[in-house]
Amino acid sequence: MDNAGTAVVAAAYGRRMLLELPDGRLVQGFPQQRGIRTVCGDRVDIATTGGGIVVTRIHPRRGVLWRHDERRGRRPVAANLDTMAIVAAPEPPVAPEQIDRYLAIAELLELRPLLVANKCDIGPVATDEFLALGYEVHAVSAHTGAGLERLAGALRGRQAILSGLSGVGKSALVTALIPDYEARSSALSAASGEGRHTTTAARLYPLPHGGHLIDSPGVRDIRLWPMPPSELARGFREFRPWLGRCRFRDCRHDREPDCALRAAVARGDVSDRRYRSFLALAGRLA
Ligand SMILES: Nc1nc2c(ncn2[C@@H]2O[C@H](COP(=O)(O)OP(=O)(O)O)[C@@H](O)[C@H]2O)c(=O)[nH]1
Ligand SMILES: [Mg+2]
Ligand SMILES: [Zn+2]
């Protein structure tokens, strides 16, 4: 074995995987042993053998996005993420409560959220309240290219996954942001063997100025996982100054006496809409 080095997993389909080498080339790789199960975004050690490139070790993962499935438990969608670009559009319309949910996922996984209001050529997305909360908002159009340069600047050097409802333009944005998208995409499709993983596996693309963009059909199923309300509350960034100040340590922030969060809502320090959105989510996850 020689030529040891590192690579990034661009796509993993069962035991098959496509690796991005430090020079940007895509090559097929195989796990050296059974226990090595990679996911898109993994950093791996590789070695060249007579039979091709083998993955000898997966580096410790940070920033893992999980898909939670009641029957099958949780499975990783992608690893080593630091950013979640939450895409919304005037069509199909996105309720603010859906944006709250994506924001909470990003906050709880400690991914930096970017709100991308796509299709600005056909209309705006109501993002003022999120701007007021300190979130970064990008109004863009994958079709006209408006705002894409600024968005590309914000994504530079980041490991970002796109999330958002179906039809908001995630794929159109990947196509617009990745210059050699077509070539990369067909290489990734060929490597998949067009098996059953083809439509669900996450794919990683290099951003032109460093970093990666990950496109995953799996984000459709991204839901919040079961957790107590006290934990969910941390996913609402403006609630944080009041957390830990309620009478009860495990306050559900609902009808408990001396709830510091409800008091903040009553004073107008926290928006009633966001608070109600939190309660609705907490009710579903409890
Ligand atoms: N007008 C307009 N249409 C867009 C834009 N971006 C995407 N679309 C259209 O929205 C539809 C869904 O886009 P797609 O990228 O498949 O959405 P995805 O499901 O989030 O990946 C397609 O018909 C696109 O042509 C945009 O910036 N402006
Ligand atoms: Mg798509
Ligand atoms: Zn409380």
Side-chain angles (χ1 to χ4, degrees):
M1 230 188 276
D2 60 344
N3 283 343
T6 60
V8 181
V9 175
Y13 311 97
R15 280 172 56 83
R16 293 164 188 269
M17 60 184 114
L18 213 62
L19 302 170
E20 185 190 292
L21 299 179
D23 66 6
R25 270 186 307 141
L26 286 173
V27 294
Q28 287 250 17
F30 299 91
Q32 188 185 42
Q33 312 125 17
R34 270 179 160 276
I36 296 179
R37 288 215 195 98
T38 59
V39 61
C40 181
D42 267 334
R43 300 284 179 282
V44 295
D45 288 341
I46 56 170
T48 310
T49 67
I53 292 178
V54 295
V55 168
T56 56
R57 187 177 78 96
I58 304 175
H59 295 199
R61 291 173 181 156
R62 288 169 297 113
V64 178
L65 183 65
W66 299 92
R67 181 162 47 218
H68 292 261
D69 182 308
E70 267 162 37
R71 284 178 304 117
R72 295 161 75 184
R74 67 173 200 176
R75 283 170 298 152
V77 174
N80 300 316
L81 301 168
D82 57 24
T83 301
M84 182 185 280
I86 301 166
V87 185
E91 191 55 50
V94 182
E97 288 71 22
Q98 288 168 316
I99 296 179
D100 294 339
R101 182 169 59 93
Y102 287 114
L103 285 173
I105 293 171
E107 294 283 1
L108 292 167
L109 295 175
E110 294 182 11
L111 303 178
R112 174 174 148 199
L114 297 180
L115 266 177
V116 180
N118 189 33
K119 311 196 191 183
C120 69
D121 55 304
I122 59 170
V125 175
T127 52
D128 285 355
E129 64 169 314
F130 299 108
L131 264 175
L133 293 174
Y135 288 112
E136 190 175 330
V137 176
H138 293 262
V140 304
S141 167
H143 279 191
T144 68
L148 288 185
E149 210 167 303
R150 179 170 164 264
L151 176 60
L155 293 173
R156 174 176 299 202
R158 305 209 142 254
Q159 310 294 323
I161 191 158
L162 290 165
S163 68
L165 301 182
S166 185
V168 292
K170 295 182 295 299
S171 300
L173 282 167
V174 180
T175 315
L177 289 165
I178 306 295
D180 57 349
Y181 173 78
E182 290 298 337
R184 286 261 158 185
S185 174
S186 49
L188 290 165
S189 297
S192 76
E194 309 297 338
R196 68 187 172 89
H197 301 286
T198 320
T199 52
T200 55
R203 295 166 164 205
L204 167 142
Y205 298 94
L207 285 159
H209 301 290
H212 293 100
L213 194 59
I214 293 175
D215 185 25
S216 168
V219 299
R220 275 189 309 237
D221 318 331
I222 294 299
R223 276 175 285 170
L224 279 159
W225 48 98
M227 70 182 92
S230 54
E231 195 180 322
L232 175 65
R234 300 198 54 75
F236 286 67
R237 85 161 35 161
E238 75 280 25
F239 294 4
R240 289 184 185 173
W242 285 281
L243 302 181
R245 297 185 179 205
C246 305
R247 184 195 292 184
F248 300 112
R249 251 179 72 93
D250 60 349
C251 184
R252 284 175 288 135
H253 313 302
D254 190 0
R255 305 213 170 138
E256 290 75 7
D258 295 329
C259 171
L261 179 59
R262 231 182 37 239
V265 176
R267 285 194 308 272
D269 289 335
V270 165
S271 102
D272 196 47
R273 192 202 67 71
R274 287 270 290 174
Y275 174 63
R276 280 186 281 109
S277 177
F278 159 76
L279 286 182
L281 266 176
R284 260 175 272 146
L285 300 176

